[in-house]
Amino acid sequence: MGKGGKITAGVCVLATAALLAVGTKRYLESTDRKVAELEERVAYMKEDCVPMRFEIARKKDSAIDVKVSMYDVQTGKKVGKPGDFSLSGEELNVDFQVIKLSDSNFIFFPSGLYTDTMPLAESEKLYSLYDENGFPLIYSAVIDTKDDGSEASQEDRVALGKALSDYFAVVKEGSQSQAEEQYGTAIHDLKTIAQFKTGFVYEVLCHPHTGGIEIKKAD
């Protein structure tokens, strides 16, 4: 390539880089707005919510059969589809992905089940139980209802739905570094149940304003 060709190529690279920089800036600004809107909506959530319940259907011969259901974090209504899992082991572990939006606002994604004889990497994934075309159904009411209880506009629903879907995509892909760089802090929160009884329903209680998770027997 001649000197003129090199100069032209250099100009093209610089122009492309400039376009990418502008595009990235607009994307980040857009992302910041969506995150701010989502954080504001989460700020009005109750002190706790239950996105997931599960029943120990059977525990025998170092095997655990578990039935899992997902629930809307606002309304408590069942969403998505139930799941039946059979795992080898004695102790059940529940894995959640937690996204920190701010010091007092967190969102939660049920991510997997595994046992004391299974590594986390081989956990039974839970995302498909509440995944509707990339949107986490457990947050349906969060985007549908405004802070005052009135119905959200279509524009608001689209913006908040996009923000939640972006987070959901990140945790499903396991891109922890991407989550931290673009969206906040993503962490695993693991809870173990060693002493549980067959036939009882347990619920995962999440605290949107502290990031805490606990498991207790459902009332």
Side-chain angles (χ1 to χ4, degrees), residues 172-185:
K172 284 188 296 183
E173 293 166 4
S175 304
Q176 297 294 305
S177 60
Q178 182 182 353
E180 292 172 2
E181 291 172 7
Q182 297 184 7
Y183 301 102
T185 303

Side-chain angles (χ1 to χ4, degrees), residues 196-212:
F196 48 75
K197 295 182 179 180
T198 302
F200 281 84
V201 176
Y202 295 85
E203 60 185 23
V204 183
L205 194 65
C206 299
H207 302 281
H209 307 305
T210 65

Side-chain angles (χ1 to χ4, degrees), residues 179-192:
E180 292 172 2
E181 291 172 7
Q182 297 184 7
Y183 301 102
T185 303
I187 60 173
H188 286 281
D189 197 316
L190 311 176
K191 296 300 177 185
T192 300

Side-chain angles (χ1 to χ4, degrees), residues 18-71:
L19 288 172
L20 286 173
V22 171
T24 300
K25 183 174 184 294
R26 289 176 177 171
Y27 171 78
L28 292 175
E29 289 174 348
S30 175
T31 298
D32 288 343
R33 285 196 300 273
K34 291 173 186 174
V35 172
E37 292 168 4
L38 178 59
E39 182 183 338
E40 184 176 344
R41 193 65 57 86
V42 171
Y44 283 87
M45 288 179 63
K46 297 177 181 178
E47 292 299 321
D48 53 58
C49 60
V50 178
M52 171 183 162
R53 290 185 174 89
F54 60 92
E55 178 185 353
I56 308 302
R58 185 178 73 95
K59 181 187 177 186
K60 186 178 181 181
D61 300 329
S62 297
I64 306 170
D65 291 346
V66 188
K67 296 180 179 292
V68 179
S69 297
M70 299 297 174
Y71 297 82

Side-chain angles (χ1 to χ4, degrees), residues 27-139:
Y27 171 78
L28 292 175
E29 289 174 348
S30 175
T31 298
D32 288 343
R33 285 196 300 273
K34 291 173 186 174
V35 172
E37 292 168 4
L38 178 59
E39 182 183 338
E40 184 176 344
R41 193 65 57 86
V42 171
Y44 283 87
M45 288 179 63
K46 297 177 181 178
E47 292 299 321
D48 53 58
C49 60
V50 178
M52 171 183 162
R53 290 185 174 89
F54 60 92
E55 178 185 353
I56 308 302
R58 185 178 73 95
K59 181 187 177 186
K60 186 178 181 181
D61 300 329
S62 297
I64 306 170
D65 291 346
V66 188
K67 296 180 179 292
V68 179
S69 297
M70 299 297 174
Y71 297 82
D72 188 290
V73 298
Q74 288 277 69
T75 66
K77 294 181 179 179
K78 188 177 290 188
V79 296
K81 57 185 180 183
D84 295 309
F85 302 92
S86 183
L87 307 95
S88 61
E90 296 287 343
E91 297 180 0
L92 180 66
N93 298 287
V94 181
D95 184 25
F96 265 60
Q97 292 283 329
V98 184
I99 300 286
K100 179 181 179 181
L101 301 175
S102 69
D103 288 341
S104 58
N105 294 296
F106 300 77
I107 54 177
F108 306 83
F109 297 98
S111 57
L113 296 176
Y114 68 105
T115 70
D116 53 312
T117 62
M118 298 170 59
L120 176 60
E122 296 178 8
S123 64
E124 293 281 357
K125 299 304 180 186
L126 300 173
Y127 301 125
S128 63
L129 303 186
Y130 60 103
D131 186 341
E132 185 175 82
N133 299 319
F135 177 77
L137 289 171
I138 57 176
Y139 288 102

